[in-house]
Amino acid sequence: MNKAVTILSMVLGAQVILAGALFYNGQNSFETQTPVSLLSLEQQTINEITLQEGDNDKPLTLVKNGEDWHLADYPNLPLLDYKVSALTDTLINSKVNWPVSRTQASHERFKVADDNFEKRIIYKLGDDEVDILLGESPSFKKLYVRNGDNNDVFTIEFSGYQLSVDKNDWLSKSLLSVKDISEISQAGLAFEKTQVKQDADLDKRTESIADKSAVLPDIINANASSKTGVETIWQVKAPAKLPEGQTLNTERIDELLAQFSSLTVTAIAEPEIVFTEIEKLSVKDADGKLFDFEFAQHEDSYYVKRSDFAHWFSLGKAQFDNLAKINANDFFITPDDDENSQQLTKKAGQQTDTETSE
């Protein structure tokens, strides 16, 4: 009896030792497993990407044209680089380690099943297709993911909110902005930026002259020995002239330039909208490229279109008011009125200072 107990105890001990060794080796293998790529794709060979959402039956497709990516339905509109990069770089180069599951039965639970997923991305490489399914998030900035070719489910560091089937989420909202504007024209009146030579005392000698550019050549020729420089100024473009007794409101022009430089749209407008009244304005950049802008209102919404794009875009009311409702007279000021305005502002400031001191 004692001999049998001893033998059984020895067998049990051997089993415990063997189980421990196997567990240790398994743990060590897990910890030292070299991460591998979720997908084995050559980025250069991808020519189309389709994005699907599990609860939306309208997929979004991106196509590659040369080195650039565009929406399939809007081939000329620039997209946000960081969103495209999330698909063409970050996602396909994601590294994975040991799977959290290797069974098909788990796909529903992690929402990476063929017919039950959060998002599905289909990469097209010529005639071949590779897809991955993104599922639920186990923790912050992590997602369950599965390569469509097998049953293994992994976790990756990725934010699913970056991927949307809404076309406007991909649109570069600053696509209509124009910087370095050299000319502005509206309703037959144009203002242009020009460079003129002047000497060191030119400003003092032309303070009372409305259009400096008209007298600059005479002053420069008469003072050939004076120290000269180059000044960039705005002026009324010929053949138009400044109204008599008025000067150009360069501050208003600077405000307009800032509006064009920061112009942002909110969405691609629906094509069936018909506008009854359209305001027009043109600008030219430093390279001489002309951009014709059109602005329109429909009910309580505001829209803008630029001549090099076929589509209208939604615009915020504040930007619409600043760009569409321009009056040419806003660009001219009467020196007396300007001086009176400055004096009133100065008096108001002095009065405020007095009240504060009291």
Side-chain angles (χ1 to χ4, degrees), residues 144-187:
Y144 291 117
V145 61
R146 180 174 71 88
N147 186 327
D149 290 337
N150 57 63
N151 292 326
D152 293 350
V153 180
F154 301 91
T155 59
I156 59 170
E157 292 189 6
F158 193 80
S159 298
Y161 73 87
Q162 301 177 77
L163 307 181
S164 164
V165 295
D166 185 345
K167 60 183 181 293
N168 295 309
D169 289 342
W170 296 80
L171 183 68
S172 174
K173 303 302 192 300
S174 61
L175 79 168
L176 300 187
S177 64
V178 182
K179 297 178 174 59
D180 298 326
I181 293 175
S182 62
E183 185 177 313
I184 305 168
S185 58
Q186 185 221 32

mmCIF file of all heavy atoms in Angstrom, residues 144-187:
data_model
loop_
_atom_site.group_PDB
_atom_site.id
_atom_site.type_symbol
_atom_site.label_atom_id
_atom_site.label_comp_id
_atom_site.label_asym_id
_atom_site.label_seq_id
_atom_site.Cartn_x
_atom_site.Cartn_y
_atom_site.Cartn_z
ATOM 1 N N TYR A 144 -9.947 45.652 -32.131
ATOM 2 C CA TYR A 144 -9.810 44.284 -32.603
ATOM 3 C C TYR A 144 -9.790 44.334 -34.132
ATOM 4 O O TYR A 144 -10.503 45.115 -34.760
ATOM 5 C CB TYR A 144 -10.988 43.435 -32.135
ATOM 6 C CG TYR A 144 -11.008 43.178 -30.649
ATOM 7 C CD1 TYR A 144 -12.058 43.658 -29.860
ATOM 8 C CD2 TYR A 144 -9.983 42.460 -30.037
ATOM 9 C CE1 TYR A 144 -12.079 43.433 -28.495
ATOM 10 C CE2 TYR A 144 -10.000 42.231 -28.669
ATOM 11 C CZ TYR A 144 -11.045 42.722 -27.903
ATOM 12 O OH TYR A 144 -11.048 42.485 -26.550
ATOM 13 N N VAL A 145 -8.953 43.493 -34.719
ATOM 14 C CA VAL A 145 -8.804 43.520 -36.162
ATOM 15 C C VAL A 145 -8.568 42.103 -36.679
ATOM 16 O O VAL A 145 -7.979 41.264 -35.982
ATOM 17 C CB VAL A 145 -7.630 44.442 -36.576
ATOM 18 C CG1 VAL A 145 -6.314 43.941 -35.984
ATOM 19 C CG2 VAL A 145 -7.522 44.577 -38.082
ATOM 20 N N ARG A 146 -9.019 41.867 -37.891
ATOM 21 C CA ARG A 146 -8.822 40.553 -38.508
ATOM 22 C C ARG A 146 -8.512 40.713 -39.983
ATOM 23 O O ARG A 146 -9.172 41.496 -40.685
ATOM 24 C CB ARG A 146 -10.077 39.680 -38.343
ATOM 25 C CG ARG A 146 -9.929 38.285 -38.963
ATOM 26 C CD ARG A 146 -11.136 37.416 -38.650
ATOM 27 N NE ARG A 146 -12.342 37.827 -39.363
ATOM 28 C CZ ARG A 146 -12.674 37.399 -40.582
ATOM 29 N NH1 ARG A 146 -11.868 36.564 -41.244
ATOM 30 N NH2 ARG A 146 -13.799 37.789 -41.140
ATOM 31 N N ASN A 147 -7.497 40.041 -40.421
ATOM 32 C CA ASN A 147 -7.225 39.934 -41.851
ATOM 33 C C ASN A 147 -8.290 39.018 -42.450
ATOM 34 O O ASN A 147 -8.513 37.916 -41.957
ATOM 35 C CB ASN A 147 -5.821 39.358 -42.061
ATOM 36 C CG ASN A 147 -5.392 39.355 -43.513
ATOM 37 O OD1 ASN A 147 -6.211 39.185 -44.408
ATOM 38 N ND2 ASN A 147 -4.111 39.536 -43.753
ATOM 39 N N GLY A 148 -8.945 39.469 -43.501
ATOM 40 C CA GLY A 148 -10.036 38.699 -44.074
ATOM 41 C C GLY A 148 -9.641 37.335 -44.595
ATOM 42 O O GLY A 148 -10.502 36.490 -44.854
ATOM 43 N N ASP A 149 -8.345 37.082 -44.730
ATOM 44 C CA ASP A 149 -7.891 35.801 -45.272
ATOM 45 C C ASP A 149 -7.845 34.676 -44.243
ATOM 46 O O ASP A 149 -7.678 33.510 -44.606
ATOM 47 C CB ASP A 149 -6.491 35.953 -45.886
ATOM 48 C CG ASP A 149 -6.522 36.779 -47.158
ATOM 49 O OD1 ASP A 149 -7.602 36.853 -47.780
ATOM 50 O OD2 ASP A 149 -5.478 37.342 -47.529
ATOM 51 N N ASN A 150 -7.940 35.011 -42.941
ATOM 52 C CA ASN A 150 -7.871 33.949 -41.930
ATOM 53 C C ASN A 150 -8.744 34.281 -40.733
ATOM 54 O O ASN A 150 -9.405 35.331 -40.694
ATOM 55 C CB ASN A 150 -6.418 33.698 -41.497
ATOM 56 C CG ASN A 150 -5.764 34.960 -40.971
ATOM 57 O OD1 ASN A 150 -6.199 35.513 -39.970
ATOM 58 N ND2 ASN A 150 -4.711 35.419 -41.647
ATOM 59 N N ASN A 151 -8.732 33.414 -39.741
ATOM 60 C CA ASN A 151 -9.614 33.551 -38.579
ATOM 61 C C ASN A 151 -8.983 34.272 -37.400
ATOM 62 O O ASN A 151 -9.666 34.607 -36.434
ATOM 63 C CB ASN A 151 -10.079 32.166 -38.102
ATOM 64 C CG ASN A 151 -11.009 31.506 -39.097
ATOM 65 O OD1 ASN A 151 -11.792 32.185 -39.762
ATOM 66 N ND2 ASN A 151 -10.928 30.179 -39.215
ATOM 67 N N ASP A 152 -7.664 34.523 -37.426
ATOM 68 C CA ASP A 152 -6.983 35.105 -36.276
ATOM 69 C C ASP A 152 -7.470 36.524 -36.004
ATOM 70 O O ASP A 152 -7.574 37.356 -36.918
ATOM 71 C CB ASP A 152 -5.473 35.135 -36.517
ATOM 72 C CG ASP A 152 -4.881 33.730 -36.566
ATOM 73 O OD1 ASP A 152 -5.607 32.776 -36.223
ATOM 74 O OD2 ASP A 152 -3.703 33.593 -36.944
ATOM 75 N N VAL A 153 -7.747 36.798 -34.728
ATOM 76 C CA VAL A 153 -8.173 38.131 -34.299
ATOM 77 C C VAL A 153 -7.058 38.727 -33.445
ATOM 78 O O VAL A 153 -6.579 38.099 -32.503
ATOM 79 C CB VAL A 153 -9.481 38.081 -33.484
ATOM 80 C CG1 VAL A 153 -9.888 39.489 -33.050
ATOM 81 C CG2 VAL A 153 -10.588 37.428 -34.307
ATOM 82 N N PHE A 154 -6.654 39.967 -33.771
ATOM 83 C CA PHE A 154 -5.581 40.644 -33.056
ATOM 84 C C PHE A 154 -6.095 41.963 -32.487
ATOM 85 O O PHE A 154 -7.218 42.388 -32.770
ATOM 86 C CB PHE A 154 -4.402 40.945 -33.994
ATOM 87 C CG PHE A 154 -3.788 39.741 -34.643
ATOM 88 C CD1 PHE A 154 -4.239 39.294 -35.877
ATOM 89 C CD2 PHE A 154 -2.748 39.064 -34.027
ATOM 90 C CE1 PHE A 154 -3.663 38.186 -36.488
ATOM 91 C CE2 PHE A 154 -2.165 37.960 -34.626
ATOM 92 C CZ PHE A 154 -2.625 37.518 -35.854
ATOM 93 N N THR A 155 -5.260 42.606 -31.692
ATOM 94 C CA THR A 155 -5.515 43.990 -31.282
ATOM 95 C C THR A 155 -4.401 44.851 -31.857
ATOM 96 O O THR A 155 -3.235 44.445 -31.882
ATOM 97 C CB THR A 155 -5.552 44.147 -29.752
ATOM 98 O OG1 THR A 155 -4.303 43.715 -29.202
ATOM 99 C CG2 THR A 155 -6.695 43.375 -29.147
ATOM 100 N N ILE A 156 -4.761 46.043 -32.317
ATOM 101 C CA ILE A 156 -3.779 46.994 -32.838
ATOM 102 C C ILE A 156 -4.049 48.359 -32.223
ATOM 103 O O ILE A 156 -5.151 48.644 -31.746
ATOM 104 C CB ILE A 156 -3.841 47.111 -34.379
ATOM 105 C CG1 ILE A 156 -5.252 47.556 -34.826
ATOM 106 C CG2 ILE A 156 -3.425 45.820 -35.039
ATOM 107 C CD1 ILE A 156 -5.324 47.923 -36.288
ATOM 108 N N GLU A 157 -3.036 49.196 -32.244
ATOM 109 C CA GLU A 157 -3.194 50.577 -31.804
ATOM 110 C C GLU A 157 -3.684 51.400 -32.994
ATOM 111 O O GLU A 157 -2.937 51.656 -33.936
ATOM 112 C CB GLU A 157 -1.875 51.124 -31.268
ATOM 113 C CG GLU A 157 -1.414 50.481 -29.969
ATOM 114 C CD GLU A 157 -0.226 51.180 -29.353
ATOM 115 O OE1 GLU A 157 0.174 52.241 -29.892
ATOM 116 O OE2 GLU A 157 0.303 50.681 -28.354
ATOM 117 N N PHE A 158 -4.933 51.793 -32.935
ATOM 118 C CA PHE A 158 -5.531 52.534 -34.038
ATOM 119 C C PHE A 158 -6.836 53.149 -33.560
ATOM 120 O O PHE A 158 -7.564 52.545 -32.765
ATOM 121 C CB PHE A 158 -5.805 51.604 -35.225
ATOM 122 C CG PHE A 158 -6.133 52.327 -36.501
ATOM 123 C CD1 PHE A 158 -5.133 52.874 -37.272
ATOM 124 C CD2 PHE A 158 -7.451 52.459 -36.922
ATOM 125 C CE1 PHE A 158 -5.428 53.543 -38.455
ATOM 126 C CE2 PHE A 158 -7.758 53.112 -38.094
ATOM 127 C CZ PHE A 158 -6.740 53.649 -38.867
ATOM 128 N N SER A 159 -7.130 54.352 -34.046
ATOM 129 C CA SER A 159 -8.373 55.039 -33.678
ATOM 130 C C SER A 159 -9.364 54.932 -34.829
ATOM 131 O O SER A 159 -9.137 55.503 -35.905
ATOM 132 C CB SER A 159 -8.098 56.513 -33.353
ATOM 133 O OG SER A 159 -7.221 56.621 -32.244
ATOM 134 N N GLY A 160 -10.444 54.227 -34.603
ATOM 135 C CA GLY A 160 -11.413 53.982 -35.657
ATOM 136 C C GLY A 160 -12.142 55.220 -36.125
ATOM 137 O O GLY A 160 -12.654 55.251 -37.257
ATOM 138 N N TYR A 161 -12.197 56.274 -35.299
ATOM 139 C CA TYR A 161 -12.947 57.465 -35.685
ATOM 140 C C TYR A 161 -12.323 58.140 -36.911
ATOM 141 O O TYR A 161 -12.972 58.960 -37.585
ATOM 142 C CB TYR A 161 -12.999 58.463 -34.528
ATOM 143 C CG TYR A 161 -11.698 59.172 -34.256
ATOM 144 C CD1 TYR A 161 -11.366 60.347 -34.924
ATOM 145 C CD2 TYR A 161 -10.787 58.676 -33.338
ATOM 146 C CE1 TYR A 161 -10.168 60.997 -34.689
ATOM 147 C CE2 TYR A 161 -9.588 59.312 -33.086
ATOM 148 C CZ TYR A 161 -9.279 60.471 -33.767
ATOM 149 O OH TYR A 161 -8.092 61.108 -33.532
ATOM 150 N N GLN A 162 -11.057 57.828 -37.204
ATOM 151 C CA GLN A 162 -10.403 58.434 -38.364
ATOM 152 C C GLN A 162 -11.049 58.008 -39.677
ATOM 153 O O GLN A 162 -10.935 58.704 -40.686
ATOM 154 C CB GLN A 162 -8.930 58.008 -38.412
ATOM 155 C CG GLN A 162 -8.114 58.387 -37.196
ATOM 156 C CD GLN A 162 -6.700 57.856 -37.314
ATOM 157 O OE1 GLN A 162 -5.877 58.398 -38.038
ATOM 158 N NE2 GLN A 162 -6.425 56.777 -36.605
ATOM 159 N N LEU A 163 -11.721 56.870 -39.659
ATOM 160 C CA LEU A 163 -12.262 56.299 -40.881
ATOM 161 C C LEU A 163 -13.770 56.478 -40.926
ATOM 162 O O LEU A 163 -14.499 55.923 -40.117
ATOM 163 C CB LEU A 163 -11.910 54.812 -40.967
ATOM 164 C CG LEU A 163 -10.417 54.483 -40.814
ATOM 165 C CD1 LEU A 163 -10.198 52.989 -40.939
ATOM 166 C CD2 LEU A 163 -9.582 55.243 -41.838
ATOM 167 N N SER A 164 -14.218 57.258 -41.873
ATOM 168 C CA SER A 164 -15.640 57.549 -42.014
ATOM 169 C C SER A 164 -16.017 57.434 -43.486
ATOM 170 O O SER A 164 -15.197 57.682 -44.375
ATOM 171 C CB SER A 164 -15.938 58.962 -41.496
ATOM 172 O OG SER A 164 -17.193 59.419 -41.941
ATOM 173 N N VAL A 165 -17.269 57.074 -43.759
ATOM 174 C CA VAL A 165 -17.734 57.008 -45.147
ATOM 175 C C VAL A 165 -18.364 58.327 -45.584
ATOM 176 O O VAL A 165 -18.873 58.440 -46.707
ATOM 177 C CB VAL A 165 -18.749 55.860 -45.337
ATOM 178 C CG1 VAL A 165 -18.079 54.516 -45.112
ATOM 179 C CG2 VAL A 165 -19.953 56.026 -44.423
ATOM 180 N N ASP A 166 -18.305 59.340 -44.727
ATOM 181 C CA ASP A 166 -18.804 60.669 -45.086
ATOM 182 C C ASP A 166 -17.722 61.384 -45.899
ATOM 183 O O ASP A 166 -16.629 61.641 -45.411
ATOM 184 C CB ASP A 166 -19.125 61.462 -43.819
ATOM 185 C CG ASP A 166 -19.759 62.815 -44.128
ATOM 186 O OD1 ASP A 166 -19.691 63.266 -45.293
ATOM 187 O OD2 ASP A 166 -20.294 63.439 -43.194
ATOM 188 N N LYS A 167 -18.026 61.723 -47.138
ATOM 189 C CA LYS A 167 -17.039 62.337 -48.035
ATOM 190 C C LYS A 167 -16.491 63.643 -47.484
ATOM 191 O O LYS A 167 -15.323 63.993 -47.699
ATOM 192 C CB LYS A 167 -17.660 62.576 -49.413
ATOM 193 C CG LYS A 167 -18.878 63.493 -49.416
ATOM 194 C CD LYS A 167 -19.472 63.623 -50.807
ATOM 195 C CE LYS A 167 -20.685 64.561 -50.828
ATOM 196 N NZ LYS A 167 -21.821 63.986 -50.069
ATOM 197 N N ASN A 168 -17.316 64.381 -46.755
ATOM 198 C CA ASN A 168 -16.884 65.680 -46.243
ATOM 199 C C ASN A 168 -15.840 65.567 -45.135
ATOM 200 O O ASN A 168 -15.100 66.506 -44.888
ATOM 201 C CB ASN A 168 -18.099 66.468 -45.740
ATOM 202 C CG ASN A 168 -19.049 66.815 -46.861
ATOM 203 O OD1 ASN A 168 -18.653 67.366 -47.889
ATOM 204 N ND2 ASN A 168 -20.323 66.468 -46.691
ATOM 205 N N ASP A 169 -15.782 64.413 -44.491
ATOM 206 C CA ASP A 169 -14.767 64.212 -43.466
ATOM 207 C C ASP A 169 -13.377 64.090 -44.070
ATOM 208 O O ASP A 169 -12.372 64.267 -43.380
ATOM 209 C CB ASP A 169 -15.077 62.950 -42.646
ATOM 210 C CG ASP A 169 -16.280 63.134 -41.749
ATOM 211 O OD1 ASP A 169 -16.652 64.290 -41.496
ATOM 212 O OD2 ASP A 169 -16.848 62.123 -41.299
ATOM 213 N N TRP A 170 -13.296 63.768 -45.348
ATOM 214 C CA TRP A 170 -12.006 63.581 -46.030
ATOM 215 C C TRP A 170 -11.558 64.820 -46.780
ATOM 216 O O TRP A 170 -10.399 64.951 -47.151
ATOM 217 C CB TRP A 170 -12.111 62.409 -47.010
ATOM 218 C CG TRP A 170 -12.359 61.108 -46.322
ATOM 219 C CD1 TRP A 170 -13.545 60.626 -45.856
ATOM 220 C CD2 TRP A 170 -11.377 60.126 -45.979
ATOM 221 N NE1 TRP A 170 -13.368 59.404 -45.257
ATOM 222 C CE2 TRP A 170 -12.049 59.069 -45.319
ATOM 223 C CE3 TRP A 170 -10.003 60.023 -46.177
ATOM 224 C CZ2 TRP A 170 -11.389 57.937 -44.855
ATOM 225 C CZ3 TRP A 170 -9.340 58.902 -45.725
ATOM 226 C CH2 TRP A 170 -10.025 57.874 -45.073
ATOM 227 N N LEU A 171 -12.466 65.733 -46.992
ATOM 228 C CA LEU A 171 -12.206 66.914 -47.818
ATOM 229 C C LEU A 171 -11.265 67.894 -47.123
ATOM 230 O O LEU A 171 -11.429 68.205 -45.945
ATOM 231 C CB LEU A 171 -13.531 67.603 -48.135
ATOM 232 C CG LEU A 171 -13.486 68.826 -49.049
ATOM 233 C CD1 LEU A 171 -13.107 68.411 -50.460
ATOM 234 C CD2 LEU A 171 -14.844 69.528 -49.041
ATOM 235 N N SER A 172 -10.285 68.396 -47.869
ATOM 236 C CA SER A 172 -9.428 69.469 -47.358
ATOM 237 C C SER A 172 -10.248 70.757 -47.354
ATOM 238 O O SER A 172 -10.567 71.300 -48.410
ATOM 239 C CB SER A 172 -8.189 69.629 -48.241
ATOM 240 O OG SER A 172 -7.436 70.749 -47.831
ATOM 241 N N LYS A 173 -10.589 71.239 -46.174
ATOM 242 C CA LYS A 173 -11.509 72.373 -46.068
ATOM 243 C C LYS A 173 -10.898 73.708 -46.526
ATOM 244 O O LYS A 173 -11.603 74.685 -46.714
ATOM 245 C CB LYS A 173 -11.988 72.513 -44.612
ATOM 246 C CG LYS A 173 -12.661 71.253 -44.050
ATOM 247 C CD LYS A 173 -13.856 70.822 -44.856
ATOM 248 C CE LYS A 173 -14.701 69.759 -44.162
ATOM 249 N NZ LYS A 173 -13.973 68.534 -43.865
ATOM 250 N N SER A 174 -9.589 73.740 -46.711
ATOM 251 C CA SER A 174 -8.937 74.981 -47.150
ATOM 252 C C SER A 174 -8.638 74.975 -48.645
ATOM 253 O O SER A 174 -7.828 75.766 -49.123
ATOM 254 C CB SER A 174 -7.642 75.191 -46.364
ATOM 255 O OG SER A 174 -6.734 74.126 -46.596
ATOM 256 N N LEU A 175 -9.298 74.102 -49.411
ATOM 257 C CA LEU A 175 -8.967 73.953 -50.819
ATOM 258 C C LEU A 175 -9.219 75.206 -51.646
ATOM 259 O O LEU A 175 -8.650 75.359 -52.736
ATOM 260 C CB LEU A 175 -9.714 72.756 -51.419
ATOM 261 C CG LEU A 175 -11.192 72.915 -51.814
ATOM 262 C CD1 LEU A 175 -11.630 71.710 -52.649
ATOM 263 C CD2 LEU A 175 -12.090 73.070 -50.615
ATOM 264 N N LEU A 176 -10.068 76.128 -51.178
ATOM 265 C CA LEU A 176 -10.371 77.331 -51.946
ATOM 266 C C LEU A 176 -9.574 78.555 -51.484
ATOM 267 O O LEU A 176 -9.707 79.629 -52.077
ATOM 268 C CB LEU A 176 -11.869 77.664 -51.854
ATOM 269 C CG LEU A 176 -12.861 76.617 -52.370
ATOM 270 C CD1 LEU A 176 -14.269 77.187 -52.365
ATOM 271 C CD2 LEU A 176 -12.481 76.140 -53.764
ATOM 272 N N SER A 177 -8.771 78.407 -50.476
ATOM 273 C CA SER A 177 -8.016 79.551 -49.973
ATOM 274 C C SER A 177 -6.959 79.979 -50.993
ATOM 275 O O SER A 177 -6.428 79.173 -51.744
ATOM 276 C CB SER A 177 -7.348 79.217 -48.639
ATOM 277 O OG SER A 177 -6.384 78.196 -48.799
ATOM 278 N N VAL A 178 -6.680 81.277 -51.008
ATOM 279 C CA VAL A 178 -5.669 81.830 -51.909
ATOM 280 C C VAL A 178 -4.753 82.740 -51.103
ATOM 281 O O VAL A 178 -5.215 83.643 -50.401
ATOM 282 C CB VAL A 178 -6.306 82.638 -53.063
ATOM 283 C CG1 VAL A 178 -5.222 83.161 -54.006
ATOM 284 C CG2 VAL A 178 -7.310 81.790 -53.836
ATOM 285 N N LYS A 179 -3.464 82.493 -51.210
ATOM 286 C CA LYS A 179 -2.473 83.310 -50.502
ATOM 287 C C LYS A 179 -1.663 84.113 -51.516
ATOM 288 O O LYS A 179 -1.688 83.852 -52.706
ATOM 289 C CB LYS A 179 -1.560 82.424 -49.655
ATOM 290 C CG LYS A 179 -2.290 81.663 -48.548
ATOM 291 C CD LYS A 179 -1.340 80.764 -47.785
ATOM 292 C CE LYS A 179 -2.020 80.100 -46.588
ATOM 293 N NZ LYS A 179 -3.174 79.274 -46.989
ATOM 294 N N ASP A 180 -0.939 85.107 -51.023
ATOM 295 C CA ASP A 180 -0.090 85.952 -51.880
ATOM 296 C C ASP A 180 -0.886 86.556 -53.028
ATOM 297 O O ASP A 180 -0.499 86.463 -54.203
ATOM 298 C CB ASP A 180 1.091 85.143 -52.434
ATOM 299 C CG ASP A 180 2.001 84.623 -51.337
ATOM 300 O OD1 ASP A 180 2.154 85.331 -50.314
ATOM 301 O OD2 ASP A 180 2.538 83.511 -51.480
ATOM 302 N N ILE A 181 -1.993 87.182 -52.704
ATOM 303 C CA ILE A 181 -2.836 87.812 -53.716
ATOM 304 C C ILE A 181 -2.190 89.104 -54.209
ATOM 305 O O ILE A 181 -1.719 89.922 -53.412
ATOM 306 C CB ILE A 181 -4.244 88.086 -53.149
ATOM 307 C CG1 ILE A 181 -4.951 86.754 -52.881
ATOM 308 C CG2 ILE A 181 -5.068 88.943 -54.103
ATOM 309 C CD1 ILE A 181 -6.297 86.907 -52.217
ATOM 310 N N SER A 182 -2.174 89.270 -55.525
ATOM 311 C CA SER A 182 -1.567 90.463 -56.114
ATOM 312 C C SER A 182 -2.591 91.377 -56.775
ATOM 313 O O SER A 182 -2.268 92.503 -57.155
ATOM 314 C CB SER A 182 -0.519 90.059 -57.157
ATOM 315 O OG SER A 182 -1.124 89.339 -58.224
ATOM 316 N N GLU A 183 -3.836 90.887 -56.933
ATOM 317 C CA GLU A 183 -4.864 91.715 -57.578
ATOM 318 C C GLU A 183 -6.244 91.274 -57.127
ATOM 319 O O GLU A 183 -6.503 90.080 -56.954
ATOM 320 C CB GLU A 183 -4.744 91.601 -59.098
ATOM 321 C CG GLU A 183 -5.686 92.522 -59.861
ATOM 322 C CD GLU A 183 -5.472 92.433 -61.366
ATOM 323 O OE1 GLU A 183 -4.300 92.490 -61.810
ATOM 324 O OE2 GLU A 183 -6.484 92.297 -62.100
ATOM 325 N N ILE A 184 -7.128 92.239 -56.912
ATOM 326 C CA ILE A 184 -8.521 91.992 -56.533
ATOM 327 C C ILE A 184 -9.403 92.804 -57.465
ATOM 328 O O ILE A 184 -9.148 93.990 -57.692
ATOM 329 C CB ILE A 184 -8.797 92.437 -55.080
ATOM 330 C CG1 ILE A 184 -7.824 91.776 -54.114
ATOM 331 C CG2 ILE A 184 -10.232 92.134 -54.678
ATOM 332 C CD1 ILE A 184 -7.858 92.378 -52.719
ATOM 333 N N SER A 185 -10.438 92.173 -58.015
ATOM 334 C CA SER A 185 -11.318 92.915 -58.920
ATOM 335 C C SER A 185 -12.766 92.519 -58.696
ATOM 336 O O SER A 185 -13.076 91.361 -58.420
ATOM 337 C CB SER A 185 -10.933 92.662 -60.385
ATOM 338 O OG SER A 185 -10.984 91.285 -60.693
ATOM 339 N N GLN A 186 -13.629 93.522 -58.819
ATOM 340 C CA GLN A 186 -15.063 93.307 -58.646
ATOM 341 C C GLN A 186 -15.816 94.405 -59.368
ATOM 342 O O GLN A 186 -15.493 95.593 -59.225
ATOM 343 C CB GLN A 186 -15.441 93.310 -57.163
ATOM 344 C CG GLN A 186 -16.904 92.980 -56.921
ATOM 345 C CD GLN A 186 -17.522 93.867 -55.840
ATOM 346 O OE1 GLN A 186 -17.138 95.010 -55.697
ATOM 347 N NE2 GLN A 186 -18.482 93.333 -55.118
ATOM 348 N N ALA A 187 -16.794 93.987 -60.160
ATOM 349 C CA ALA A 187 -17.700 94.923 -60.841
ATOM 350 C C ALA A 187 -16.937 96.012 -61.600
ATOM 351 O O ALA A 187 -17.261 97.200 -61.524
ATOM 352 C CB ALA A 187 -18.654 95.555 -59.835
#
